[in-house]
Amino acid sequence: MKWSKYRAVKTEVDGILFDSKKEAKRYSELKLLEKAGEITQLELQPVFQCVVKEKKICSYRADFRYFDKKATGTMGQMGTMMVEDVKGFKTPVYRLKKKLVEALFPVKITEI
């Protein structure tokens, strides 16, 4: 077996190949929450284009984006957009991109 850079084992769930067992497990949990009606619009690998002064700096690809019906947003609204990234190891590049996305978009990235 060939190991990945951070020892993550690729895992398949519902015909989708995830980068790690941890990410596949979180996907299964989110699918159950969606089926129960607690979250909606589950999206895998959403991309955020980071543009500053009309210049593209980078792209950031999160693991999951969905709307949590129970969460209350910063403006007091229900059905808040949630962005999650399943992390085993936080690289300096990841940390920088996370800060940039949170500065440019009205989101808070939750690390699982």
Side-chain angles (χ1 to χ4, degrees):
M1 170 187 269
K2 185 178 176 188
W3 291 99
S4 73
K5 189 174 180 180
Y6 299 108
R7 298 267 186 199
V9 178
K10 292 201 180 278
T11 305
E12 186 177 326
V13 176
D14 293 342
I16 303 165
L17 188 62
F18 292 94
D19 288 336
S20 68
K21 287 181 183 180
K22 190 174 176 183
E23 186 180 345
K25 180 178 184 251
R26 182 60 181 155
Y27 168 75
S28 296
E29 293 168 354
L30 291 172
K31 287 300 283 184
L32 286 173
L33 289 172
E34 187 175 47
K35 192 172 183 178
E38 293 187 29
I39 67 169
T40 61
Q41 301 177 45
L42 176 60
E43 182 183 352
L44 280 63
Q45 304 288 308
V47 177
F48 295 84
Q49 300 296 335
C50 299
V51 178
V52 177
K53 294 186 179 179
E54 299 180 23
K55 181 172 177 127
K56 181 179 174 187
I57 305 300
C58 66
S59 294
Y60 169 74
R61 185 180 309 271
D63 290 325
F64 307 105
R65 176 171 45 196
Y66 58 90
F67 287 86
D68 186 339
K69 290 183 175 182
K70 292 182 178 178
T72 304
T74 55
M75 307 286 271
Q77 77 278 16
M78 298 301 283
T80 302
M81 179 174 49
M82 308 295 286
V83 178
E84 291 185 357
D85 218 323
V86 178
K87 286 287 169 215
F89 183 79
K90 298 174 195 168
T91 66
V93 171
Y94 163 75
R95 288 184 181 132
L96 183 62
K97 284 185 175 186
K98 178 184 177 201
K99 286 180 185 178
L100 185 57
V101 168
E102 290 179 340
L104 293 174
F105 299 94
V107 299
K108 168 98 174 78
I109 299 168
T110 302
E111 295 163 351
I112 305 294

